[in-house]
Amino acid sequence: MKDTGSAQDAEHEVTMLKVISDLDADLNNVVKFHERVDMSLYDLLEQREWEHHPLHEIRPVAKQGLGVLHTDIKPDNIMFVNMKDQPLRVKLIDFGLAKMASQVELGMEIQPCGYRAPEICLGLPFSKAVDVWGVGCVLAFLYLAQNLFSFKCEYQMVFII
């Protein structure tokens, strides 16, 4: 039996990669279709034994901007291009859950818990700003070397917010 869910997921990601391929990948910090990347932000923190990052290393990671909602911004989906030659130059990967702004609907469950914007948790209208919230959570993760909010329980996350 063929796994149509995986095929549809792959097809969706290829479609989203085609949409963003019109953008300047380097200017918008998104991975090119056949680009090699080094390691994720999560991997770097693990390698540094969970030491927090100084602000001068976090600022370059904060740059972001796309015409689509990524909806899955987390440390695992932000990769370093080449730590040796371009330290701290990052690219956003994994557009499998990305949505065009016109596709978003009230009540959609998007974003991983712990990086989820309050308006998503509460079922309120949302915009591309939810990705900015996700980036903020990633930056806090880098600085604190731990998650700012619970990633196991949405109730605990909202309670802390």
Side-chain angles (χ1 to χ4, degrees):
M1 180 172 217
K2 187 177 177 182
D3 183 5
T4 56
S6 294
Q8 287 175 337
D9 291 347
E11 191 174 305
H12 175 74
E13 185 158 6
V14 168
T15 300
M16 293 310 299
L17 286 170
K18 286 177 183 174
V19 167
I20 64 169
S21 69
D22 291 336
L23 301 173
D24 181 329
D26 292 326
L27 182 65
N28 289 289
N29 295 326
V30 295
V31 70
K32 295 173 190 166
F33 193 66
H34 293 288
E35 183 174 18
R36 290 180 48 111
V37 288
D38 278 354
M39 71 171 81
S40 71
L41 292 177
Y42 185 88
D43 293 335
L44 180 66
L45 268 174
E46 190 173 49
Q47 182 183 52
R48 290 186 177 182
E49 298 181 0
W50 304 104
E51 286 291 320
H52 76 86
H53 282 60
L55 290 176
H56 74 275
E57 289 186 359
I58 295 173
R59 282 187 193 100
V61 176
K63 192 175 177 184
Q64 185 228 327
L66 290 175
V68 299
L69 279 84
H70 185 278
T71 76
D72 196 22
I73 293 179
K74 58 187 178 185
D76 310 55
N77 287 339
I78 301 173
M79 303 290 293
F80 290 101
V81 176
N82 183 331
M83 286 294 286
K84 182 180 174 205
D85 298 331
Q86 295 179 305
L88 303 176
R89 175 118 171 96
V90 296
K91 296 278 182 136
L92 190 57
I93 65 163
D94 190 359
F95 288 83
L97 299 175
K99 304 273 184 224
M100 298 299 298
S102 60
Q103 292 178 313
V104 299
E105 297 174 11
L106 191 61
M108 290 180 93
E109 188 173 313
I110 59 172
Q111 299 183 293
C113 193
Y115 300 90
R116 191 172 294 151
E119 54 266 45
I120 301 298
C121 298
L122 299 172
L124 298 172
F126 62 93
S127 68
K128 292 184 279 188
V130 299
D131 277 348
V132 176
W133 176 274
V135 169
C137 291
V138 167
L139 298 176
F141 178 76
L142 285 175
Y143 186 72
L144 300 170
Q146 64 182 356
N147 286 299
L148 188 58
F149 304 113
S150 172
F151 64 92
K152 294 180 180 175
C153 175
E154 186 176 70
Y155 174 80
Q156 287 295 325
M157 186 184 78
V158 172
F159 180 77
I160 292 168
I161 292 171

